[in-house]
Amino acid sequence: MRILSCLCAAFYAAALLHSVSTKPVFAGLPADSLPLLQAGIRQPPMLEKALAGPMKETEEIIFCIRIKGKDPHWYVTFGNYSGPQPEPQEYALKKEDGLLWCYGDGTALVKQNLRTGKINILLHDENGGIRDPQLHYDGQKILFSYRKGGTHPYHLYEIDLDGQNLRQLTDGIYDDIEPTYCPDGSIIFCSSRCKRFVNCWHTPVAVLHRCDADGKNVRMLSSNNDHDNTPWLLPDGRVLYMRWEYVDRSQVHYHHLWTMNPDGTQQSAFYGNLHPGDVMIDAKPIPNSEKVAAIFSYGHGSREHMGGLHLVSPKKGPDDKGSSVRLGRGSFKDPYPFSEDCFLAANNDTLWIVDGSGKFEPLFQLPKELQDKGFAVHEPRPVLPRPRERLVGDRTDLTKTTGTVVLQDVCRGRSLHGLERGKIKKLLVLKQLPAPIHFSGGMEAVTIGGSFTLAEILGTIPVAEDGSAFAELPALQSLFFVALDENDLAVKRMHSFLTLQPGETAACIGCHEERTEAPDMKIPVLQALKRSPSKPQPIAGVPPVIDYPRDVQPVWDKHCVSCHSPENYGGKLDLTGDKAAGWSMSYIRLTLHGKWVVDNRNRPMSNFPPYQIGSGASSLMKYLEPAHHNVKLSPEEKNLVRLWIDTSATYPGTYASLRSGEYYPSIDCTLLLERCGECHASPETREGKAKPWEKWHFPNHYRSWGGTAVNISNPDRSFLLRAPLAKEAGGLGLCSKIVFESKDDPVYQKTWQSIERAHRQLETGKRFDMPGFRPNSDYIREMQKYGFVKKDLKADETFDYYKAERKYFDSFLVMPHE
């Protein structure tokens, strides 16, 4: 018997127990299911108290039943994995059409009477999925997301409260989830129509969109590279939601509560974004209170949004750590507040009622047979009419493609004390670029332990003498700023992103100012407002997206390699473009340890003091001057290097590079340790300045970081071979004892052969910056799905992936409406 047959029949049996005269939907219900289901319906003492108090108007609730997720990430609940996973395959629940899908089959939308225990099944689908229900303001219809059996995308649907009149609102090839009604009749929801994948995982992204009540006129509201989740309306008409971001900071620490108007304007932090912490999700306002209830899902978030139930007050602003209080120690998901002392919530198999002390008692529990098959309960909601929220007028102008932003004082901020007024002359405007697909849990090959995303250079805007700026910027793009001094060096970075809607005018007081501060109304008219808004001034001689091998390496080849190569090892620095197992020799040496190029290294930190991040903190810049051995870079070359640093010092200029050309030689480390262990086995036994093995890029770290110990472009130039090789034999002779007298040494030869095999693999398989490279099939599949690679591409046919990706990025530019 199919799982959902059991499920629906079981609930039908429960309905019979409570005198429901309905014809059976499925036959063959086992007799022993009756006592199990009867035992699953609970009426605890807390419920009786709540029904006489905060829930006195509540007769019924609805909730969903479906297979719970197995992937540990909170956001993997829809769509397909990008391809074969390095992680355990059991994360995926469904394999079909050659893809792994992020969900299982079997679902029901259920209504339960809290006073009588009567259960009705409003909608069931033994092969589908139902999620995210919300009652309409009149309490007579339900809005939800539904994936019909035999199909993959979730779409928005409505159904009447009696389970009749099912109607589909949205369609297409993308997933629409987590809808919420707006007081003007529109619907805000999350959708993978944004055509992007998580920058650090294998699954698609959903961000905020809006549509009419009938599902028409879908419009994107968010430009986020990563997820927005669980939108819900606040009484004042703003949309409360979770926004996940990591611009120049850790990818696993910043997913906090934000708000926007229903038209997408005024996107701003509600709580938590300054401080690294848990995933704050499923937030909803508490009636007759200024507080909201939310789940703080542990760390980087737990599957199904599980976490502690918190109350959050906005009175002290978004940065006050003491403004959130956890209720008890229970672990829940999908909270629904009735008051500060009464909540519905779920966990894997049980619906709970929770009070303000954190005490909880069960309302309903799934039979063990269904639990064992992976089913869980989700999203309890009361069946009640509710007041409409305040109507916020539309502030967009969809005939425009830009918005404007006013900055009052660039020198005003929490970590800007002491900064000399007038020091900041310009703002560099950058755009964070979405990833059409991702293949790993890491940033490879975008950076080594740094940014996961590519950035596009839009240009610079001037800062007036009073510190003000006024700019016209493209709408619906993830924009962030770098403050530049008189030498165009970075003083301060934004560590977040700004999104403008078409026609929107936004304003900020300063750079990372206290969010509880108000603008200074005593100052005269801002100097920047005495002129028209500045459009970003393009920077001549620099491509919009810098590609290190294509754009930066030629600078080193022209000016630096004559002194910094394996043959001329000046400063013990190899600045050649030779390829290591991952990245290139020069890129690894310049970026890995933060000595030459300084960025945030993906740390859970932000809002640094001036000159701590970027070109203004990077020692590499001073070596580009004639004082360094009469080096003479042109102004355009200096600009290129500076802007490469300030665009997060990324390696490729294309996401087609992800996981491409990584060829690691299988070197017998045991043989090398027999020769080298006396000096390199451990810190305690090393001689002089010899680095222990665990400090080398090889062997312990070369697989992760593609360290410079091996050169797979030119195996004979590998540091691993040349450092211990006698000078007379062509080596560097850097070791205190000669390890290899000649290249004929059998250990030398065996090591060389391993690197040579990797070299041959590279020549055959290619890397993104080599002629004849072809992105992998997953990249091609998604880009074909989006419409940027032709459908009839032949199996061995190459194409211009830079050009295809440029079209992909430009597809998000707002086009004016008639």
Side-chain angles (χ1 to χ4, degrees):
M1 182 181 293
R2 299 297 296 270
I3 295 173
L4 251 293
S5 298
C6 293
L7 172 66
C8 296
F11 277 112
Y12 171 73
L16 287 180
L17 289 175
H18 295 282
S19 303
V20 180
S21 56
T22 307
K23 185 178 179 181
V25 178
F26 295 106
L29 177 68
D32 58 1
S33 294
L34 295 178
L36 289 172
L37 288 170
Q38 188 171 15
I41 300 169
R42 311 293 176 84
Q43 290 186 316
M46 283 177 60
L47 176 60
E48 183 178 352
K49 179 180 177 182
L51 291 176
M55 296 176 63
K56 62 183 178 181
E57 297 180 358
T58 306
E59 291 287 329
E60 297 174 313
I61 63 172
I62 59 170
F63 58 92
C64 295
I65 297 172
R66 63 179 179 272
I67 297 288
K68 60 187 175 185
K70 289 189 176 181
D71 190 297
H73 299 87
W74 90 91
Y75 50 84
V76 182
T77 57
F78 67 92
N80 59 276
Y81 286 92
S82 57
Q85 310 302 303
E87 288 73 27
Q89 294 289 323
E90 59 265 23
Y91 284 0
L93 295 167
K94 183 182 180 68
K95 187 169 184 178
E96 190 173 286
D97 301 333
L99 295 172
L100 295 170
W101 296 87
C102 303
Y103 44 74
D105 285 338
T107 193
L109 177 63
V110 177
K111 182 170 65 172
Q112 178 183 349
N113 189 302
L114 294 177
R115 299 177 189 273
T116 67
K118 183 180 73 173
I119 288 179
N120 284 326
I121 300 168
L122 302 180
L123 179 65
H124 60 80
D125 189 329
E126 57 185 318
N127 297 311
I130 299 171
R131 51 178 294 168
D132 316 317
Q134 191 194 55
L135 269 291
H136 190 264
Y137 295 104
D138 61 14
Q140 296 302 306
K141 62 182 178 181
I142 305 166
L143 173 68
F144 60 101
S145 303
Y146 177 30
R147 177 183 60 80
K148 282 190 174 182
T151 68
H152 292 299
Y154 279 93
H155 295 308
L156 303 188
Y157 283 77
E158 283 182 325
I159 195 170
D160 292 345
L161 191 58
D162 59 2
Q164 302 299 310
N165 194 21
L166 175 68
R167 50 205 175 270
Q168 183 174 343
L169 303 182
T170 61
D171 57 16
I173 62 173
Y174 299 106
D175 291 276
D176 302 325
I177 60 172
E178 299 176 346
T180 186
Y181 285 115
C182 294
D184 66 353
S186 65
I187 296 169
I188 286 179
F189 60 102
C190 299
S191 178
S192 64
R193 297 166 188 260
C194 59
K195 303 174 185 174
R196 59 200 65 181
F197 269 59
V198 175
N199 286 99
C200 58
W201 198 234
H202 316 267
T203 52
V205 164
V207 302
L208 293 176
H209 287 66
R210 181 180 179 179
C211 68
D212 296 341
D214 59 1
K216 307 300 183 184
N217 296 316
V218 174
R219 183 168 79 84
M220 194 171 173
L221 299 179
S222 169
S223 64
N224 199 354
N225 277 30
D226 290 288
H227 285 277
D228 303 317
N229 279 112
T230 59
W232 204 273
L233 270 289
L234 291 170
D236 63 9
R238 291 178 296 162
V239 181
L240 178 66
Y241 64 101
M242 186 227 72
R243 167 164 136 172
W244 177 20
E245 63 174 32
Y246 47 92
V247 179
D248 297 329
R249 53 183 179 172
S250 167
Q251 85 277 20
V252 296
H253 288 87
Y254 294 92
H255 3 54
H256 300 122
L257 298 179
W258 286 67
T259 60
M260 66 165 62
N261 292 329
D263 62 1
T265 60
Q266 291 192 332
Q267 297 184 20
S268 57
F270 181 83
Y271 185 74
N273 191 54
L274 180 66
H275 308 294
D278 298 334
V279 174
M280 301 177 186
I281 202 164
D282 286 311
K284 300 177 184 65
I286 300 173
N288 304 312
S289 171
E290 91 285 351
K291 297 178 182 179
V292 302
I295 295 298
F296 283 26
S297 192
Y298 317 115
H300 185 35
S302 301
R303 69 187 70 184
E304 301 289 351
H305 304 182
M306 293 291 292
L309 176 57
H310 285 244
L311 302 191
V312 179
S313 171
K315 282 187 174 181
K316 296 183 179 179
D319 305 325
D320 181 66
K321 289 186 176 181
S323 292
S324 69
V325 177
R326 181 172 180 176
L327 301 185
R329 307 309 299 172
S331 186
F332 303 104
K333 63 180 179 181
D334 308 328
Y336 193 98
F338 292 88
S339 71
E340 291 187 36
D341 193 43
C342 183
F343 310 84
L344 293 180
N347 65 12
N348 286 332
D349 54 30
T350 306
L351 300 180
W352 303 91
I353 185 167
V354 186
D355 69 15
S357 70
K359 179 183 177 183
F360 50 95
E361 294 179 351
L363 293 176
F364 175 83
Q365 188 172 37
L366 279 179
K368 187 175 184 304
E369 285 84 345
L370 296 178
Q371 296 179 36
D372 292 344
K373 295 180 183 297
F375 284 97
V377 290
H378 309 262
E379 300 121 2
R381 309 280 192 257
V383 177
L384 286 174
R386 55 192 175 90
R388 292 177 186 262
E389 299 83 9
R390 184 173 72 89
L391 191 64
V392 178
D394 196 314
R395 304 178 185 183
T396 64
D397 182 350
L398 299 185
T399 66
K400 296 184 177 180
T401 63
T402 61
T404 55
V405 61
V406 179
L407 173 62
Q408 185 184 80
D409 186 357
V410 73
C411 292
R412 185 173 178 180
R414 280 170 286 202
S415 63
L416 289 172
H417 304 295
L419 182 67
E420 179 184 349
R421 182 162 297 282
K423 187 70 173 176
I424 297 174
K425 302 295 186 182
K426 302 174 186 175
L427 294 178
L428 173 64
V429 184
L430 302 176
K431 178 169 69 173
Q432 193 182 36
L433 295 173
I437 193 168
H438 213 279
F439 314 116
S440 77
M443 70 291 296
E444 302 87 354
V446 175
T447 60
I448 305 174
S451 175
F452 286 72
T453 58
L454 302 176
E456 180 176 340
I457 301 166
L458 296 188
T460 60
I461 56 174
V463 173
E465 290 184 3
D466 64 351
S468 63
F470 184 31
E472 181 181 352
L473 302 173
L476 273 177
Q477 307 296 305
S478 296
L479 306 174
F480 60 108
F481 306 134
V482 181
L484 304 179
D485 65 14
E486 67 276 9
N487 297 313
D488 286 340
L489 295 176
V491 179
K492 180 85 173 166
R493 294 180 70 86
M494 188 168 167
H495 301 289
S496 185
F497 68 88
L498 165 73
T499 301
L500 296 170
Q501 298 298 315
E504 178 182 6
T505 296
C508 23
I509 297 172
C511 292
H512 298 280
E513 75 276 4
E514 291 285 352
R515 295 305 177 126
T516 52
E517 291 183 2
D520 186 352
M521 305 305 294
K522 297 179 181 179
I523 62 174
V525 176
L526 300 178
Q527 292 180 16
L529 292 180
K530 295 179 180 179
R531 52 172 171 74
S532 299
S534 301
K535 295 183 179 180
Q537 183 66 36
I539 302 172
V542 178
V545 182
I546 295 175
D547 185 282
Y548 181 89
R550 181 193 66 199
D551 304 321
V552 180
Q553 184 60 47
V555 178
W556 311 147
D557 293 341
K558 180 179 178 181
H559 298 283
C560 308
V561 166
S562 59
C563 294
H564 300 289
S565 70
E567 290 75 26
N568 299 302
Y569 206 47
K572 296 184 179 180
L573 187 64
D574 182 355
L575 290 183
T576 67
D578 287 356
K579 292 174 172 56
W583 302 280
S584 70
M585 295 295 176
S586 64
Y587 183 82
I588 295 168
R589 293 303 301 270
L590 291 175
T591 64
L592 183 56
H593 295 299
K595 176 182 178 182
W596 305 98
V597 173
V598 181
D599 63 15
N600 198 22
R601 309 308 301 153
N602 197 37
R603 291 176 288 175
M605 301 169 64
S606 60
N607 197 17
F608 292 86
Y611 292 107
Q612 297 295 307
I613 301 292
S615 60
S618 298
S619 62
L620 176 63
M621 295 304 298
K622 70 181 181 181
Y623 290 96
L624 308 184
E625 301 297 331
H628 178 63
H629 299 286
N630 202 31
V631 170
K632 295 180 180 179
L633 272 69
S634 68
E636 291 78 14
E637 288 171 328
K638 289 180 184 178
N639 252 349
L640 177 64
V641 175
R642 172 182 65 83
L643 289 165
W644 166 65
I645 295 172
D646 287 335
T647 51
S648 302
T650 56
Y651 184 58
T654 170
Y655 287 113
S657 65
L658 296 172
R659 287 295 189 192
S660 76
E662 293 182 340
Y663 300 107
Y664 297 101
S666 300
I667 296 172
D668 190 339
C669 299
T670 304
L671 291 175
L672 287 175
L673 279 171
E674 290 176 359
R675 300 287 188 91
C676 307
E678 182 179 351
C679 296
H680 296 285
S682 69
E684 292 74 23
T685 61
R686 72 178 186 262
E687 294 182 2
K689 296 182 180 180
K691 293 182 179 179
W693 285 103
E694 60 266 29
K695 298 296 184 184
W696 274 36
H697 304 269
F698 178 88
N700 294 336
H701 298 300
Y702 92 102
R703 287 189 62 84
S704 297
W705 303 121
T708 55
V710 294
N711 185 326
I712 61 171
S713 290
N714 296 284
D716 288 332
R717 301 175 95 183
S718 295
F719 184 82
L720 181 66
L721 297 174
R722 298 186 71 242
L725 179 65
K727 286 186 176 181
E728 296 77 9
L732 296 174
L734 293 179
C735 295
S736 59
K737 298 178 182 179
I738 294 176
V739 177
F740 303 130
E741 294 284 354
S742 75
K743 295 181 180 180
D744 294 328
D745 185 292
V747 176
Y748 180 100
Q749 280 295 311
K750 187 169 184 178
T751 305
W752 179 88
Q753 289 166 7
S754 296
I755 302 172
E756 174 64 20
R757 280 193 295 272
H759 167 71
R760 293 195 298 270
Q761 290 175 326
L762 173 69
E763 290 298 309
T764 301
K766 309 295 184 184
R767 195 173 286 183
F768 75 95
D769 56 343
M770 298 171 66
F773 171 75
R774 188 178 193 267
N776 73 21
S777 60
D778 298 301
Y779 179 94
I780 293 171
R781 181 192 67 243
E782 296 301 320
M783 290 292 275
Q784 287 175 328
K785 175 181 175 182
Y786 305 148
F788 302 110
V789 172
K790 63 181 184 178
K791 295 285 188 181
D792 59 349
L793 189 73
K794 297 177 181 177
D796 59 349
E797 184 178 355
T798 60
F799 62 96
D800 189 336
Y801 37 92
Y802 287 96
K803 184 176 180 180
E805 216 161 89
R806 182 72 265 167
K807 291 180 179 179
Y808 164 74
F809 297 144
D810 289 346
S811 71
F812 300 110
L813 296 173
V814 173
M815 303 303 292
H817 284 60
E818 295 295 335

